[in-house]
Amino acid sequence: MSTSATAVDDRPAVQSGQLRLGDALSVNRLGFGAMRITGPGVWGPPADHDEAIRVLRRAVELGVNLIDTADSYGPNISEELIREALYPYPEELVLATKAGLLRTGPDEFHAFGRPDYLRQQCEMSLRRLGVERIDLFQLHRVDPTVPAADQFGVLADLQKEGKIRLVGLSEVCVDTITEAAEIVDIASVQNRYNLIDRKSDDVLRYCTERNIAFIPWAPIDAGDLAKPGGAAYEAAERLGATSAQIALAWLLQRSSRMLPIPGTSTVAHLEENCAAAPLKLDLKTVEALDEAL
Ligand SMILES: NC(=O)c1ccc[n+]([C@@H]2O[C@H](COP(=O)([O-])OP(=O)(O)OC[C@H]3O[C@@H](n4cnc5c(N)ncnc54)[C@H](OP(=O)(O)O)[C@@H]3O)[C@@H](O)[C@H]2O)c1
């Protein structure tokens, strides 16, 4: 009789469950957003460089295997820190970056989708991250001043050339996803979505039906729902959790395609956020949160 037991992976992010990205990659459903490891207004270096490095390394220890970043976070700073903290990368780590936003100063950003610029930014992200191929390359915004087909077309070209593995979109409606999908396979959509902002419910439904990963940004914003009397606050009190954890657990239970990427500059908040993954909300709590808006 064999005495070997199957090891249980009890890292919290693993307990969020897994989803397939495209046809080749599998990731844990709780990821990490690396926008907050930059300076104020997503501009310049973080106030505490060493803590930013600790956050990235701890995220991987906790089972996070998708890190979301962008050329415009810093700019460049977030990608550089990811390489500094994690290179050579663990085999299972999926790096998701973006291009298509110019950042001209603190809290200033503008869509810029000229194909030659997107190509340049892809090349620069490859260099900064130190990889031969980007796992998931997301169009940060569709630039309304450039034909959309040209923007999707350059993503298709980069994929054919082996510079990017999978393609994602950000801040798009269903019509734009279907338009893009005629030109290139879409593996993920990243829209703002949380307890108090559900404008993308139709996009979430569309993605869920088609096995497209839905990556909600600003996932822990619960607004007034996190204040005394609010549904997230009440649920947190009842379950001995925090409002941020309730917000993340609610997202994870809302769709099997959901892949939240909470961002933070501190290990303490990172650990708190990852601890939300094993949290299971009962039906009554989910209903109260669903109806709270
Ligand atoms: N596609 C897009 O257009 C787009 C736009 C924005 C962001 N994103 C991506 O989405 C990720 C997440 O979005 P986000 O950073 O805006 O929103 P978020 O993850 O919902 O919130 C981050 C903010 O909440 C704080 N925080 C984190 N954990 C906390 C906790 N447990 N308790 C209390 N406060 C906590 C952080 O401050 P501390 O540093 O003090 O923890 C930070 O100010 C970003 O990192 C980025 O990768 C994408």
Side-chain angles (χ1 to χ4, degrees), residues 32-36 68-69 73 98 101 140-141 170-171 190 216-221 242 244 261-266 269-270 272-273:
F32 175 72
M35 187 181 81
R36 303 284 174 179
D68 177 77
T69 182
Y73 294 168
K98 314 183 203 76
L101 269 193
H140 215 150
R141 291 289 182 279
S170 172
E171 284 305 302
Q190 184 172 142
W217 63 268
I220 60 182
D221 190 356
T242 66
I261 46 165
T264 179
S265 55
T266 71
H269 279 165
L270 171 78
E272 179 183 324
N273 296 340

PDB file of all heavy atoms in Angstrom, residues 32-36 68-69 73 98 101 140-141 170-171 190 216-221 242 244 261-266 269-270 272-273, ligand 1:
ATOM      1  N   PHE A  32      -2.480  39.827  -8.638  1.00  0.00           N
ATOM      2  CA  PHE A  32      -1.962  41.029  -7.976  1.00  0.00           C
ATOM      3  C   PHE A  32      -1.820  42.141  -9.006  1.00  0.00           C
ATOM      4  O   PHE A  32      -1.289  41.923 -10.105  1.00  0.00           O
ATOM      5  CB  PHE A  32      -0.595  40.748  -7.324  1.00  0.00           C
ATOM      6  CG  PHE A  32       0.043  41.990  -6.739  1.00  0.00           C
ATOM      7  CD1 PHE A  32      -0.463  42.558  -5.579  1.00  0.00           C
ATOM      8  CD2 PHE A  32       1.118  42.609  -7.369  1.00  0.00           C
ATOM      9  CE1 PHE A  32       0.091  43.730  -5.049  1.00  0.00           C
ATOM     10  CE2 PHE A  32       1.677  43.773  -6.844  1.00  0.00           C
ATOM     11  CZ  PHE A  32       1.168  44.332  -5.681  1.00  0.00           C
ATOM     12  N   GLY A  33      -2.276  43.333  -8.656  1.00  0.00           N
ATOM     13  CA  GLY A  33      -2.136  44.499  -9.531  1.00  0.00           C
ATOM     14  C   GLY A  33      -0.950  45.341  -9.076  1.00  0.00           C
ATOM     15  O   GLY A  33      -0.891  45.760  -7.917  1.00  0.00           O
ATOM     16  N   ALA A  34      -0.028  45.587  -9.988  1.00  0.00           N
ATOM     17  CA  ALA A  34       1.246  46.227  -9.605  1.00  0.00           C
ATOM     18  C   ALA A  34       1.282  47.721  -9.948  1.00  0.00           C
ATOM     19  O   ALA A  34       2.341  48.279 -10.220  1.00  0.00           O
ATOM     20  CB  ALA A  34       2.402  45.486 -10.263  1.00  0.00           C
ATOM     21  N   MET A  35       0.115  48.368  -9.905  1.00  0.00           N
ATOM     22  CA  MET A  35       0.090  49.817 -10.164  1.00  0.00           C
ATOM     23  C   MET A  35       0.460  50.613  -8.915  1.00  0.00           C
ATOM     24  O   MET A  35       1.008  51.712  -9.000  1.00  0.00           O
ATOM     25  CB  MET A  35      -1.314  50.214 -10.633  1.00  0.00           C
ATOM     26  CG  MET A  35      -1.443  51.645 -11.099  1.00  0.00           C
ATOM     27  SD  MET A  35      -3.123  52.045 -11.621  1.00  0.00           S
ATOM     28  CE  MET A  35      -3.920  52.345 -10.053  1.00  0.00           C
ATOM     29  N   ARG A  36       0.158  50.028  -7.753  1.00  0.00           N
ATOM     30  CA  ARG A  36       0.342  50.772  -6.491  1.00  0.00           C
ATOM     31  C   ARG A  36       1.761  50.714  -5.951  1.00  0.00           C
ATOM     32  O   ARG A  36       2.021  51.250  -4.882  1.00  0.00           O
ATOM     33  CB  ARG A  36      -0.638  50.238  -5.437  1.00  0.00           C
ATOM     34  CG  ARG A  36      -2.093  50.319  -5.859  1.00  0.00           C
ATOM     35  CD  ARG A  36      -2.625  51.717  -5.772  1.00  0.00           C
ATOM     36  NE  ARG A  36      -3.975  51.809  -6.322  1.00  0.00           N
ATOM     37  CZ  ARG A  36      -4.677  52.935  -6.342  1.00  0.00           C
ATOM     38  NH1 ARG A  36      -4.178  54.054  -5.860  1.00  0.00           N
ATOM     39  NH2 ARG A  36      -5.880  52.949  -6.867  1.00  0.00           N
ATOM     40  N   ASP A  68      -0.397  41.745 -12.741  1.00  0.00           N
ATOM     41  CA  ASP A  68      -0.815  42.705 -13.768  1.00  0.00           C
ATOM     42  C   ASP A  68       0.006  43.982 -13.636  1.00  0.00           C
ATOM     43  O   ASP A  68       0.182  44.509 -12.539  1.00  0.00           O
ATOM     44  CB  ASP A  68      -2.304  43.035 -13.571  1.00  0.00           C
ATOM     45  CG  ASP A  68      -2.782  44.086 -14.560  1.00  0.00           C
ATOM     46  OD1 ASP A  68      -3.001  43.728 -15.731  1.00  0.00           O
ATOM     47  OD2 ASP A  68      -2.914  45.266 -14.174  1.00  0.00           O
ATOM     48  N   THR A  69       0.516  44.468 -14.767  1.00  0.00           N
ATOM     49  CA  THR A  69       1.268  45.712 -14.745  1.00  0.00           C
ATOM     50  C   THR A  69       0.984  46.465 -16.041  1.00  0.00           C
ATOM     51  O   THR A  69       0.060  46.122 -16.781  1.00  0.00           O
ATOM     52  CB  THR A  69       2.786  45.427 -14.537  1.00  0.00           C
ATOM     53  OG1 THR A  69       3.480  46.673 -14.473  1.00  0.00           O
ATOM     54  CG2 THR A  69       3.384  44.579 -15.643  1.00  0.00           C
ATOM     55  N   TYR A  73       2.769  52.430 -15.804  1.00  0.00           N
ATOM     56  CA  TYR A  73       2.796  52.515 -14.342  1.00  0.00           C
ATOM     57  C   TYR A  73       4.178  52.985 -13.912  1.00  0.00           C
ATOM     58  O   TYR A  73       5.126  52.212 -13.798  1.00  0.00           O
ATOM     59  CB  TYR A  73       2.457  51.165 -13.698  1.00  0.00           C
ATOM     60  CG  TYR A  73       1.035  50.691 -13.941  1.00  0.00           C
ATOM     61  CD1 TYR A  73       0.662  49.384 -13.629  1.00  0.00           C
ATOM     62  CD2 TYR A  73       0.054  51.530 -14.466  1.00  0.00           C
ATOM     63  CE1 TYR A  73      -0.629  48.933 -13.847  1.00  0.00           C
ATOM     64  CE2 TYR A  73      -1.236  51.080 -14.693  1.00  0.00           C
ATOM     65  CZ  TYR A  73      -1.574  49.783 -14.380  1.00  0.00           C
ATOM     66  OH  TYR A  73      -2.858  49.338 -14.596  1.00  0.00           O
ATOM     67  N   LYS A  98       0.466  45.928 -20.222  1.00  0.00           N
ATOM     68  CA  LYS A  98      -0.441  46.672 -21.109  1.00  0.00           C
ATOM     69  C   LYS A  98       0.333  47.766 -21.825  1.00  0.00           C
ATOM     70  O   LYS A  98       1.366  48.227 -21.351  1.00  0.00           O
ATOM     71  CB  LYS A  98      -1.572  47.372 -20.331  1.00  0.00           C
ATOM     72  CG  LYS A  98      -2.263  46.549 -19.298  1.00  0.00           C
ATOM     73  CD  LYS A  98      -3.411  47.331 -18.665  1.00  0.00           C
ATOM     74  CE  LYS A  98      -3.748  46.780 -17.297  1.00  0.00           C
ATOM     75  NZ  LYS A  98      -2.799  47.144 -16.238  1.00  0.00           N
ATOM     76  N   LEU A 101      -1.640  53.615 -23.234  1.00  0.00           N
ATOM     77  CA  LEU A 101      -1.903  54.825 -22.458  1.00  0.00           C
ATOM     78  C   LEU A 101      -0.612  55.613 -22.322  1.00  0.00           C
ATOM     79  O   LEU A 101       0.408  55.050 -21.903  1.00  0.00           O
ATOM     80  CB  LEU A 101      -2.369  54.470 -21.038  1.00  0.00           C
ATOM     81  CG  LEU A 101      -3.837  54.312 -20.711  1.00  0.00           C
ATOM     82  CD1 LEU A 101      -4.026  54.275 -19.189  1.00  0.00           C
ATOM     83  CD2 LEU A 101      -4.709  55.404 -21.299  1.00  0.00           C
ATOM     84  N   HIS A 140      -4.481  48.885 -23.322  1.00  0.00           N
ATOM     85  CA  HIS A 140      -4.930  49.595 -22.116  1.00  0.00           C
ATOM     86  C   HIS A 140      -6.210  50.401 -22.375  1.00  0.00           C
ATOM     87  O   HIS A 140      -7.109  50.455 -21.548  1.00  0.00           O
ATOM     88  CB  HIS A 140      -3.801  50.512 -21.635  1.00  0.00           C
ATOM     89  CG  HIS A 140      -3.715  50.647 -20.154  1.00  0.00           C
ATOM     90  ND1 HIS A 140      -2.540  50.874 -19.484  1.00  0.00           N
ATOM     91  CD2 HIS A 140      -4.660  50.596 -19.184  1.00  0.00           C
ATOM     92  CE1 HIS A 140      -2.774  50.966 -18.187  1.00  0.00           C
ATOM     93  NE2 HIS A 140      -4.052  50.794 -17.985  1.00  0.00           N
ATOM     94  N   ARG A 141      -6.254  51.035 -23.533  1.00  0.00           N
ATOM     95  CA  ARG A 141      -7.470  51.720 -23.983  1.00  0.00           C
ATOM     96  C   ARG A 141      -7.527  51.599 -25.494  1.00  0.00           C
ATOM     97  O   ARG A 141      -6.488  51.608 -26.152  1.00  0.00           O
ATOM     98  CB  ARG A 141      -7.446  53.215 -23.655  1.00  0.00           C
ATOM     99  CG  ARG A 141      -7.543  53.573 -22.198  1.00  0.00           C
ATOM    100  CD  ARG A 141      -8.948  53.307 -21.625  1.00  0.00           C
ATOM    101  NE  ARG A 141      -9.004  53.724 -20.218  1.00  0.00           N
ATOM    102  CZ  ARG A 141      -8.557  53.002 -19.186  1.00  0.00           C
ATOM    103  NH1 ARG A 141      -8.037  51.806 -19.382  1.00  0.00           N
ATOM    104  NH2 ARG A 141      -8.650  53.465 -17.949  1.00  0.00           N
ATOM    105  N   SER A 170      -8.880  46.344 -22.398  1.00  0.00           N
ATOM    106  CA  SER A 170      -9.211  47.020 -21.142  1.00  0.00           C
ATOM    107  C   SER A 170     -10.204  48.141 -21.410  1.00  0.00           C
ATOM    108  O   SER A 170     -10.072  48.871 -22.398  1.00  0.00           O
ATOM    109  CB  SER A 170      -7.926  47.584 -20.519  1.00  0.00           C
ATOM    110  OG  SER A 170      -8.239  48.391 -19.411  1.00  0.00           O
ATOM    111  N   GLU A 171     -11.175  48.273 -20.518  1.00  0.00           N
ATOM    112  CA  GLU A 171     -12.215  49.297 -20.616  1.00  0.00           C
ATOM    113  C   GLU A 171     -12.924  49.247 -21.971  1.00  0.00           C
ATOM    114  O   GLU A 171     -12.865  50.211 -22.759  1.00  0.00           O
ATOM    115  CB  GLU A 171     -11.630  50.685 -20.340  1.00  0.00           C
ATOM    116  CG  GLU A 171     -11.377  50.934 -18.867  1.00  0.00           C
ATOM    117  CD  GLU A 171     -12.622  50.709 -18.001  1.00  0.00           C
ATOM    118  OE1 GLU A 171     -13.644  51.368 -18.236  1.00  0.00           O
ATOM    119  OE2 GLU A 171     -12.582  49.838 -17.115  1.00  0.00           O
ATOM    120  N   GLN A 190     -10.242  43.605 -19.076  1.00  0.00           N
ATOM    121  CA  GLN A 190      -9.985  44.249 -17.788  1.00  0.00           C
ATOM    122  C   GLN A 190     -10.787  45.549 -17.715  1.00  0.00           C
ATOM    123  O   GLN A 190     -10.448  46.527 -18.374  1.00  0.00           O
ATOM    124  CB  GLN A 190      -8.477  44.527 -17.647  1.00  0.00           C
ATOM    125  CG  GLN A 190      -8.121  45.106 -16.299  1.00  0.00           C
ATOM    126  CD  GLN A 190      -6.624  45.221 -16.030  1.00  0.00           C
ATOM    127  OE1 GLN A 190      -6.185  46.181 -15.427  1.00  0.00           O
ATOM    128  NE2 GLN A 190      -5.845  44.251 -16.468  1.00  0.00           N
ATOM    129  N   PRO A 216     -11.322  42.425 -12.992  1.00  0.00           N
ATOM    130  CA  PRO A 216     -11.890  43.685 -12.513  1.00  0.00           C
ATOM    131  C   PRO A 216     -10.824  44.544 -11.868  1.00  0.00           C
ATOM    132  O   PRO A 216     -10.098  44.082 -10.987  1.00  0.00           O
ATOM    133  CB  PRO A 216     -12.912  43.219 -11.473  1.00  0.00           C
ATOM    134  CG  PRO A 216     -12.342  41.945 -10.921  1.00  0.00           C
ATOM    135  CD  PRO A 216     -11.561  41.315 -12.047  1.00  0.00           C
ATOM    136  N   TRP A 217     -10.713  45.797 -12.306  1.00  0.00           N
ATOM    137  CA  TRP A 217      -9.781  46.670 -11.583  1.00  0.00           C
ATOM    138  C   TRP A 217     -10.537  47.495 -10.547  1.00  0.00           C
ATOM    139  O   TRP A 217     -11.757  47.547 -10.591  1.00  0.00           O
ATOM    140  CB  TRP A 217      -8.889  47.480 -12.517  1.00  0.00           C
ATOM    141  CG  TRP A 217      -9.499  48.477 -13.459  1.00  0.00           C
ATOM    142  CD1 TRP A 217      -9.900  48.253 -14.752  1.00  0.00           C
ATOM    143  CD2 TRP A 217      -9.739  49.870 -13.212  1.00  0.00           C
ATOM    144  NE1 TRP A 217     -10.364  49.400 -15.312  1.00  0.00           N
ATOM    145  CE2 TRP A 217     -10.268  50.424 -14.397  1.00  0.00           C
ATOM    146  CE3 TRP A 217      -9.536  50.713 -12.124  1.00  0.00           C
ATOM    147  CZ2 TRP A 217     -10.631  51.767 -14.506  1.00  0.00           C
ATOM    148  CZ3 TRP A 217      -9.882  52.067 -12.231  1.00  0.00           C
ATOM    149  CH2 TRP A 217     -10.422  52.564 -13.412  1.00  0.00           C
ATOM    150  N   ALA A 218      -9.794  48.071  -9.609  1.00  0.00           N
ATOM    151  CA  ALA A 218     -10.375  48.699  -8.407  1.00  0.00           C
ATOM    152  C   ALA A 218     -11.284  47.703  -7.684  1.00  0.00           C
ATOM    153  O   ALA A 218     -12.396  48.051  -7.261  1.00  0.00           O
ATOM    154  CB  ALA A 218     -11.118  49.982  -8.752  1.00  0.00           C
ATOM    155  N   PRO A 219     -10.833  46.464  -7.496  1.00  0.00           N
ATOM    156  CA  PRO A 219     -11.750  45.434  -6.988  1.00  0.00           C
ATOM    157  C   PRO A 219     -12.173  45.617  -5.535  1.00  0.00           C
ATOM    158  O   PRO A 219     -13.213  45.093  -5.144  1.00  0.00           O
ATOM    159  CB  PRO A 219     -10.927  44.139  -7.140  1.00  0.00           C
ATOM    160  CG  PRO A 219      -9.507  44.580  -7.058  1.00  0.00           C
ATOM    161  CD  PRO A 219      -9.488  45.926  -7.748  1.00  0.00           C
ATOM    162  N   ILE A 220     -11.372  46.380  -4.739  1.00  0.00           N
ATOM    163  CA  ILE A 220     -11.758  46.439  -3.328  1.00  0.00           C
ATOM    164  C   ILE A 220     -12.504  47.716  -2.957  1.00  0.00           C
ATOM    165  O   ILE A 220     -12.837  47.911  -1.803  1.00  0.00           O
ATOM    166  CB  ILE A 220     -10.554  46.238  -2.387  1.00  0.00           C
ATOM    167  CG1 ILE A 220      -9.498  47.299  -2.591  1.00  0.00           C
ATOM    168  CG2 ILE A 220      -9.955  44.867  -2.540  1.00  0.00           C
ATOM    169  CD1 ILE A 220      -8.294  47.082  -1.706  1.00  0.00           C
ATOM    170  N   ASP A 221     -12.812  48.537  -3.950  1.00  0.00           N
ATOM    171  CA  ASP A 221     -13.554  49.763  -3.659  1.00  0.00           C
ATOM    172  C   ASP A 221     -15.003  49.389  -3.318  1.00  0.00           C
ATOM    173  O   ASP A 221     -15.740  48.880  -4.158  1.00  0.00           O
ATOM    174  CB  ASP A 221     -13.502  50.689  -4.889  1.00  0.00           C
ATOM    175  CG  ASP A 221     -14.035  52.074  -4.558  1.00  0.00           C
ATOM    176  OD1 ASP A 221     -14.507  52.278  -3.430  1.00  0.00           O
ATOM    177  OD2 ASP A 221     -13.977  52.953  -5.444  1.00  0.00           O
ATOM    178  N   THR A 242     -12.532  41.647   6.880  1.00  0.00           N
ATOM    179  CA  THR A 242     -12.512  43.095   6.621  1.00  0.00           C
ATOM    180  C   THR A 242     -13.376  43.378   5.390  1.00  0.00           C
ATOM    181  O   THR A 242     -13.666  42.464   4.592  1.00  0.00           O
ATOM    182  CB  THR A 242     -11.076  43.594   6.347  1.00  0.00           C
ATOM    183  OG1 THR A 242     -10.616  42.997   5.120  1.00  0.00           O
ATOM    184  CG2 THR A 242     -10.130  43.228   7.485  1.00  0.00           C
ATOM    185  N   ALA A 244     -12.522  44.888   2.741  1.00  0.00           N
ATOM    186  CA  ALA A 244     -11.752  44.586   1.521  1.00  0.00           C
ATOM    187  C   ALA A 244     -11.873  43.097   1.196  1.00  0.00           C
ATOM    188  O   ALA A 244     -12.039  42.710   0.027  1.00  0.00           O
ATOM    189  CB  ALA A 244     -10.282  44.974   1.716  1.00  0.00           C
ATOM    190  N   ILE A 261      -7.486  41.627  -9.284  1.00  0.00           N
ATOM    191  CA  ILE A 261      -6.056  41.953  -9.152  1.00  0.00           C
ATOM    192  C   ILE A 261      -5.895  43.103  -8.148  1.00  0.00           C
ATOM    193  O   ILE A 261      -5.461  44.202  -8.513  1.00  0.00           O
ATOM    194  CB  ILE A 261      -5.443  42.326 -10.517  1.00  0.00           C
ATOM    195  CG1 ILE A 261      -6.365  43.316 -11.273  1.00  0.00           C
ATOM    196  CG2 ILE A 261      -5.188  41.086 -11.357  1.00  0.00           C
ATOM    197  CD1 ILE A 261      -5.683  43.998 -12.451  1.00  0.00           C
ATOM    198  N   PRO A 262      -6.240  42.860  -6.863  1.00  0.00           N
ATOM    199  CA  PRO A 262      -6.100  43.956  -5.900  1.00  0.00           C
ATOM    200  C   PRO A 262      -4.667  44.460  -5.858  1.00  0.00           C
ATOM    201  O   PRO A 262      -3.720  43.681  -5.960  1.00  0.00           O
ATOM    202  CB  PRO A 262      -6.510  43.306  -4.567  1.00  0.00           C
ATOM    203  CG  PRO A 262      -6.362  41.833  -4.780  1.00  0.00           C
ATOM    204  CD  PRO A 262      -6.629  41.599  -6.226  1.00  0.00           C
ATOM    205  N   GLY A 263      -4.529  45.771  -5.702  1.00  0.00           N
ATOM    206  CA  GLY A 263      -3.192  46.373  -5.671  1.00  0.00           C
ATOM    207  C   GLY A 263      -2.910  46.962  -4.308  1.00  0.00           C
ATOM    208  O   GLY A 263      -3.820  47.433  -3.623  1.00  0.00           O
ATOM    209  N   THR A 264      -1.665  46.939  -3.912  1.00  0.00           N
ATOM    210  CA  THR A 264      -1.268  47.547  -2.646  1.00  0.00           C
ATOM    211  C   THR A 264       0.222  47.815  -2.650  1.00  0.00           C
ATOM    212  O   THR A 264       0.975  47.194  -3.406  1.00  0.00           O
ATOM    213  CB  THR A 264      -1.626  46.639  -1.448  1.00  0.00           C
ATOM    214  OG1 THR A 264      -1.185  47.273  -0.244  1.00  0.00           O
ATOM    215  CG2 THR A 264      -0.970  45.270  -1.547  1.00  0.00           C
ATOM    216  N   SER A 265       0.620  48.724  -1.760  1.00  0.00           N
ATOM    217  CA  SER A 265       2.044  49.012  -1.605  1.00  0.00           C
ATOM    218  C   SER A 265       2.596  48.376  -0.335  1.00  0.00           C
ATOM    219  O   SER A 265       3.756  48.575  -0.006  1.00  0.00           O
ATOM    220  CB  SER A 265       2.247  50.531  -1.552  1.00  0.00           C
ATOM    221  OG  SER A 265       1.441  51.082  -0.520  1.00  0.00           O
ATOM    222  N   THR A 266       1.751  47.634   0.398  1.00  0.00           N
ATOM    223  CA  THR A 266       2.228  47.086   1.675  1.00  0.00           C
ATOM    224  C   THR A 266       1.984  45.577   1.768  1.00  0.00           C
ATOM    225  O   THR A 266       0.971  45.062   1.284  1.00  0.00           O
ATOM    226  CB  THR A 266       1.532  47.754   2.884  1.00  0.00           C
ATOM    227  OG1 THR A 266       0.166  47.316   2.943  1.00  0.00           O
ATOM    228  CG2 THR A 266       1.581  49.269   2.808  1.00  0.00           C
ATOM    229  N   HIS A 269      -1.369  44.724   3.713  1.00  0.00           N
ATOM    230  CA  HIS A 269      -2.603  44.711   2.910  1.00  0.00           C
ATOM    231  C   HIS A 269      -2.608  43.547   1.925  1.00  0.00           C
ATOM    232  O   HIS A 269      -3.650  42.947   1.667  1.00  0.00           O
ATOM    233  CB  HIS A 269      -2.782  46.040   2.171  1.00  0.00           C
ATOM    234  CG  HIS A 269      -3.373  47.112   3.040  1.00  0.00           C
ATOM    235  ND1 HIS A 269      -3.353  48.444   2.724  1.00  0.00           N
ATOM    236  CD2 HIS A 269      -4.025  47.024   4.231  1.00  0.00           C
ATOM    237  CE1 HIS A 269      -3.959  49.143   3.684  1.00  0.00           C
ATOM    238  NE2 HIS A 269      -4.366  48.294   4.604  1.00  0.00           N
ATOM    239  N   LEU A 270      -1.448  43.226   1.382  1.00  0.00           N
ATOM    240  CA  LEU A 270      -1.365  42.084   0.461  1.00  0.00           C
ATOM    241  C   LEU A 270      -1.832  40.807   1.168  1.00  0.00           C
ATOM    242  O   LEU A 270      -2.636  40.029   0.627  1.00  0.00           O
ATOM    243  CB  LEU A 270       0.079  41.915  -0.030  1.00  0.00           C
ATOM    244  CG  LEU A 270       0.323  40.639  -0.828  1.00  0.00           C
ATOM    245  CD1 LEU A 270      -0.188  40.797  -2.247  1.00  0.00           C
ATOM    246  CD2 LEU A 270       1.802  40.270  -0.831  1.00  0.00           C
ATOM    247  N   GLU A 272      -3.658  40.526   3.802  1.00  0.00           N
ATOM    248  CA  GLU A 272      -5.105  40.621   4.095  1.00  0.00           C
ATOM    249  C   GLU A 272      -5.917  40.287   2.841  1.00  0.00           C
ATOM    250  O   GLU A 272      -6.888  39.528   2.897  1.00  0.00           O
ATOM    251  CB  GLU A 272      -5.421  42.042   4.580  1.00  0.00           C
ATOM    252  CG  GLU A 272      -6.882  42.275   4.885  1.00  0.00           C
ATOM    253  CD  GLU A 272      -7.152  43.727   5.290  1.00  0.00           C
ATOM    254  OE1 GLU A 272      -6.312  44.347   5.970  1.00  0.00           O
ATOM    255  OE2 GLU A 272      -8.223  44.233   4.908  1.00  0.00           O
ATOM    256  N   ASN A 273      -5.500  40.822   1.720  1.00  0.00           N
ATOM    257  CA  ASN A 273      -6.259  40.596   0.477  1.00  0.00           C
ATOM    258  C   ASN A 273      -6.202  39.134   0.039  1.00  0.00           C
ATOM    259  O   ASN A 273      -7.204  38.555  -0.384  1.00  0.00           O
ATOM    260  CB  ASN A 273      -5.748  41.521  -0.630  1.00  0.00           C
ATOM    261  CG  ASN A 273      -5.976  42.989  -0.289  1.00  0.00           C
ATOM    262  OD1 ASN A 273      -6.809  43.304   0.561  1.00  0.00           O
ATOM    263  ND2 ASN A 273      -5.230  43.875  -0.916  1.00  0.00           N
TER     264      ASN A 273
HETATM  265  N1  LIG B   1      -7.036  48.694 -16.819  1.00  0.00           N
HETATM  266  C1  LIG B   1      -7.082  49.846 -16.204  1.00  0.00           C
HETATM  267  O1  LIG B   1      -7.443  50.872 -16.789  1.00  0.00           O
HETATM  268  C2  LIG B   1      -6.672  49.920 -14.770  1.00  0.00           C
HETATM  269  C3  LIG B   1      -6.898  51.080 -14.020  1.00  0.00           C
HETATM  270  C4  LIG B   1      -6.492  51.088 -12.686  1.00  0.00           C
HETATM  271  C5  LIG B   1      -5.896  49.968 -12.135  1.00  0.00           C
HETATM  272  N2  LIG B   1      -5.674  48.854 -12.890  1.00  0.00           N
HETATM  273  C6  LIG B   1      -5.053  47.642 -12.328  1.00  0.00           C
HETATM  274  O2  LIG B   1      -5.903  47.152 -11.314  1.00  0.00           O
HETATM  275  C7  LIG B   1      -5.186  47.005 -10.098  1.00  0.00           C
HETATM  276  C8  LIG B   1      -6.122  47.246  -8.935  1.00  0.00           C
HETATM  277  O3  LIG B   1      -6.733  48.519  -9.048  1.00  0.00           O
HETATM  278  P1  LIG B   1      -6.508  49.670  -7.982  1.00  0.00           P
HETATM  279  O4  LIG B   1      -5.141  49.536  -7.411  1.00  0.00           O
HETATM  280  O5  LIG B   1      -6.895  50.940  -8.603  1.00  0.00           O
HETATM  281  O6  LIG B   1      -7.627  49.392  -6.895  1.00  0.00           O
HETATM  282  P2  LIG B   1      -7.766  48.419  -5.623  1.00  0.00           P
HETATM  283  O7  LIG B   1      -6.865  47.251  -5.769  1.00  0.00           O
HETATM  284  O8  LIG B   1      -9.215  48.160  -5.458  1.00  0.00           O
HETATM  285  O9  LIG B   1      -7.330  49.354  -4.441  1.00  0.00           O
HETATM  286  C9  LIG B   1      -6.023  49.751  -4.202  1.00  0.00           C
HETATM  287  C10 LIG B   1      -6.067  50.829  -3.121  1.00  0.00           C
HETATM  288  O10 LIG B   1      -6.614  50.279  -1.939  1.00  0.00           O
HETATM  289  C11 LIG B   1      -5.631  50.249  -0.885  1.00  0.00           C
HETATM  290  N3  LIG B   1      -5.705  48.904  -0.300  1.00  0.00           N
HETATM  291  C12 LIG B   1      -5.266  47.738  -0.808  1.00  0.00           C
HETATM  292  N4  LIG B   1      -5.557  46.713   0.006  1.00  0.00           N
HETATM  293  C13 LIG B   1      -6.207  47.243   1.060  1.00  0.00           C
HETATM  294  C14 LIG B   1      -6.774  46.684   2.246  1.00  0.00           C
HETATM  295  N5  LIG B   1      -6.750  45.385   2.495  1.00  0.00           N
HETATM  296  N6  LIG B   1      -7.364  47.534   3.125  1.00  0.00           N
HETATM  297  C15 LIG B   1      -7.428  48.863   2.881  1.00  0.00           C
HETATM  298  N7  LIG B   1      -6.905  49.453   1.777  1.00  0.00           N
HETATM  299  C16 LIG B   1      -6.304  48.644   0.878  1.00  0.00           C
HETATM  300  C17 LIG B   1      -4.310  50.528  -1.531  1.00  0.00           C
HETATM  301  O11 LIG B   1      -3.500  51.309  -0.677  1.00  0.00           O
HETATM  302  P3  LIG B   1      -2.220  50.666   0.069  1.00  0.00           P
HETATM  303  O12 LIG B   1      -1.109  50.757  -0.912  1.00  0.00           O
HETATM  304  O13 LIG B   1      -2.062  51.543   1.260  1.00  0.00           O
HETATM  305  O14 LIG B   1      -2.577  49.267   0.420  1.00  0.00           O
HETATM  306  C18 LIG B   1      -4.705  51.336  -2.754  1.00  0.00           C
HETATM  307  O15 LIG B   1      -4.848  52.701  -2.430  1.00  0.00           O
HETATM  308  C19 LIG B   1      -4.047  48.006 -10.235  1.00  0.00           C
HETATM  309  O16 LIG B   1      -2.970  47.705  -9.367  1.00  0.00           O
HETATM  310  C20 LIG B   1      -3.695  47.862 -11.680  1.00  0.00           C
HETATM  311  O17 LIG B   1      -2.880  46.707 -11.882  1.00  0.00           O
HETATM  312  C21 LIG B   1      -6.064  48.815 -14.193  1.00  0.00           C
END
